[in-house]
Amino acid sequence: MSRLDEHGELFNDPRWALALIRATVLEAAHPQIGAALVDHSSFVTHPWRRLRNTFLSTQRMFGPDEEVRRRESARLNRLHARMNGTDAQNRSYSAMDPDARAWVVATMFESAVTMHRLSGQALEQGAMERLYTGFQAFHTALGDDAAFLPPTLHEFWPYYDRVVEEELENTEAMRIILYKLFDHLPAPPLLAGLPTLWGTGRAIAGPVIGAITVASLPESFRRRAGLPETPGAQTLMHSTYLAAGLARFLPGGWVHAQGVADLLALSPESDDPRMRTVTALREQMKRAGALFRLITPVPAQPAPTGGTGTRRSAEEFFQEVLDQTGDGCLDWPDLAAMAREISTRLDLDEPEETRLYNAYADWWRELQAALDTDGDGRVSAQEYAAAAPSLAGPALIRVAEVLFDVTDKDGNQHIDADEYRALFRTAFHRDTVDAAGVYTRSAFVKDFLTFMSGRRRSTPYDPLLTEA
């Protein structure tokens, strides 16, 4: 067992969900990371997708297969190399900055230690040192210089305190996570059809999660960042961590993070065998939702309009499909987020991943030339709606063709059931294949263009690009 896979079970601990939120807040408070999150990440509009991909990446990096770790490390580095720019204070940032990357690892390690302490099971010195060694191995497995993390646990704590005191800021990304994300968190795909129940539960859970997270942050940073602490939050925090710790003693698999993440990601259209049980549960929950509407003042959220094949308005298409980062504008990071999600699902290597990104980059230049009427380098919702364009230009057609190529792993010029499932996580739709049972290049390209340029809702593409 390597120094990495020795700690793999940490990420299936129910307490890790709380620790991961805390680590993410501390990461977002770093000015380099915070700027990259605001400009490039889809965590605001697609938090469940981002969470699942983060979990999958962590499982790969801390798993037993050295080749899987190598490929995942290379993928992460390619992804981060594309994230750079200038923040609101005109400071340059890069997701490949070695100090920032070391801080990500540091927050994960320190939050794991804090997780054990807050749940009444503080790690002994030896266990803490082994855990730190594992995270150092994670850091070097990413290809980073080991010198950017302190060599010993004894030297780690002064480093951690210095960054907290001198470098962290009350960034926009941190404020979004603490005060916006949980208050407006969209339902995961599994619960998307239960807006009343989800809205009611979120109205209660959102502020609680935010208060627990703030209470768990270093006190000095809370004061400096002006983060208010809710009365009783410390007691609530300890109780929540303790309860999450006790969940480890439930029967095996009940709270296994992999199973929970997979279940939440199921689309109602999925052919996964578990959906039969889930569908029955959803029917019971819908009845409960009707009761909630009678006894609670929380307004029901409108359900999505239209079914497969119906058209969206230009405004709906812009918000649900194009604006992947949720900043109200269309620019390169939005299309890069699409390429990133597809690359992650298909686990692409070079050069296929670069081909896909390049195709999306060409489409962005085509869109910018056609729609950016004020020349600010972005396309606003108003510019898009006013033009109401047909987007099926040469660059978008090229995106469709490249997407077919990278999905068609065996290169036989049609997509089989396994290749289709890898991209869409479901079986063939009944109208997908031809009389010979084959999903051809021409049919695939036509379906993609119908979705992207015709703004039509689509059973396979909506879960891929629009669900949270």
Side-chain angles (χ1 to χ4, degrees):
M1 180 177 291
S2 73
R3 291 181 296 175
L4 277 171
D5 56 26
E6 177 184 357
H7 305 289
E9 278 305 306
L10 167 68
F11 307 105
N12 277 316
D13 190 311
R15 296 170 295 179
W16 182 245
L18 297 169
L20 180 60
I21 295 170
R22 179 182 184 277
T24 302
V25 169
L26 289 169
E27 292 168 19
H30 190 288
Q32 291 249 4
I33 302 169
L37 284 172
V38 166
D39 288 349
H40 296 273
S41 177
S42 59
F43 77 100
V44 173
T45 50
H46 302 285
W48 296 106
R49 189 172 81 188
R50 167 69 189 275
L51 179 63
R52 190 179 192 278
N53 289 343
T54 298
F55 175 77
L56 176 61
S57 179
T58 306
Q59 292 288 86
R60 289 171 176 172
M61 289 300 300
F62 282 84
D65 192 320
E66 181 65 33
E67 176 60 18
V68 169
R69 286 201 293 269
R70 185 197 64 77
R71 295 182 71 250
E72 181 63 12
S73 173
R75 187 189 71 83
L76 289 173
N77 286 330
R78 292 194 303 269
L79 182 156
H80 291 148
R82 296 183 174 99
M83 296 182 180
N84 52 75
T86 304
D87 69 10
Q89 286 74 45
N90 205 33
R91 298 174 297 188
S92 62
Y93 67 83
S94 168
M96 292 299 288
D97 178 80
D99 287 314
R101 284 162 67 91
W103 178 244
V104 170
V105 178
T107 62
M108 294 174 68
F109 165 71
E110 190 274 341
S111 291
V113 172
T114 299
M115 173 189 87
H116 286 89
R117 175 174 57 81
L118 293 179
S119 55
Q121 296 178 325
L123 293 174
E124 296 180 353
Q125 183 69 18
M128 198 183 304
E129 289 179 347
R130 289 191 297 274
L131 182 63
Y132 185 59
T133 299
F135 276 97
Q136 285 178 307
F138 171 50
H139 182 240
T140 56
L142 290 172
D144 291 316
D145 188 339
F148 285 90
L149 269 182
T152 67
L153 181 61
H154 177 73
E155 294 168 286
F156 172 82
W157 297 113
Y159 153 80
Y160 177 84
D161 292 339
R162 179 189 61 77
V163 176
V164 169
E165 291 288 344
E166 300 177 8
E167 298 186 28
L168 299 193
E169 300 175 0
N170 188 342
T171 64
E172 180 185 359
M174 187 194 75
R175 293 191 299 272
I176 289 174
I177 295 170
L178 283 175
Y179 301 121
K180 180 181 177 181
L181 184 59
F182 295 122
D183 287 347
H184 302 280
L185 186 68
L190 179 66
L191 303 177
L194 303 167
T196 302
L197 278 179
W198 180 256
T200 302
R202 183 185 59 195
I204 298 171
V208 170
I209 295 173
I212 290 171
T213 304
V214 169
S216 71
L217 297 176
E219 183 179 358
S220 61
F221 177 66
R222 291 203 310 267
R223 291 197 307 267
R224 187 159 51 84
L227 299 176
E229 185 173 336
T230 306
Q234 289 287 334
T235 301
L236 177 63
M237 173 187 65
H238 285 286
S239 299
T240 303
Y241 270 91
L242 179 61
L246 293 175
R248 301 190 327 277
F249 301 106
L250 291 173
W254 280 28
V255 290
H256 196 270
Q258 178 72 65
V260 173
D262 289 344
L263 191 62
L264 287 174
L266 284 179
S267 167
E269 301 290 341
S270 174
D271 64 330
D272 190 294
R274 292 173 294 181
M275 275 307 299
R276 290 193 293 270
T277 301
V278 170
T279 299
L281 179 60
R282 282 167 59 90
E283 290 303 315
Q284 296 297 323
M285 294 173 71
K286 284 181 180 178
R287 297 189 184 98
L291 176 61
F292 269 116
R293 285 194 292 272
L294 294 175
I295 64 176
T296 180
V298 177
Q301 299 178 0
T305 58
T308 295
T310 60
R311 288 182 64 88
R312 294 176 170 89
S313 68
E315 293 83 358
E316 288 175 324
F317 184 76
F318 187 94
Q319 179 182 4
E320 296 174 10
V321 180
L322 296 179
D323 185 13
Q324 291 280 309
T325 60
D327 63 357
C329 292
L330 171 63
D331 54 11
W332 166 239
D334 296 301
L335 300 194
M338 296 184 195
R340 185 165 63 246
E341 174 61 18
I342 293 168
S343 298
T344 300
R345 286 201 179 201
L346 296 177
D347 194 20
L348 298 182
D349 277 329
E350 289 276 13
E352 288 81 5
E353 182 184 276
T354 298
R355 285 185 64 205
L356 186 64
Y357 271 90
N358 287 344
Y360 269 99
D362 289 341
W363 186 39
W364 163 236
R365 286 187 285 270
E366 185 176 81
L367 288 172
Q368 190 177 24
L371 305 181
D372 181 19
T373 57
D374 61 9
D376 66 352
R378 304 190 298 177
V379 176
S380 68
Q382 292 74 23
E383 287 173 326
Y384 176 79
S390 173
L391 299 182
L396 181 59
I397 295 172
R398 178 60 179 160
V399 170
E401 292 175 339
V402 172
L403 179 55
F404 177 89
D405 289 340
V406 297
T407 304
D408 178 23
K409 293 287 189 181
D410 57 14
N412 63 359
Q413 294 304 303
H414 69 260
I415 292 175
D416 62 31
D418 290 339
E419 292 165 341
Y420 189 90
R421 183 178 292 279
L423 179 62
F424 296 118
R425 295 177 182 160
T426 190
F428 282 137
H429 189 267
R430 66 178 183 275
D431 299 326
T432 298
V433 298
D434 61 16
V438 172
Y439 195 22
T440 63
R441 173 185 287 272
S442 60
F444 181 94
V445 170
K446 178 183 176 182
D447 288 346
F448 179 81
L449 295 178
T450 298
F451 175 74
M452 294 302 298
S453 64
R455 302 194 296 271
R456 291 192 177 276
R457 299 182 187 277
S458 161
T459 297
Y461 283 105
D462 270 299
L464 175 63
L465 295 175
T466 71
E467 288 186 350

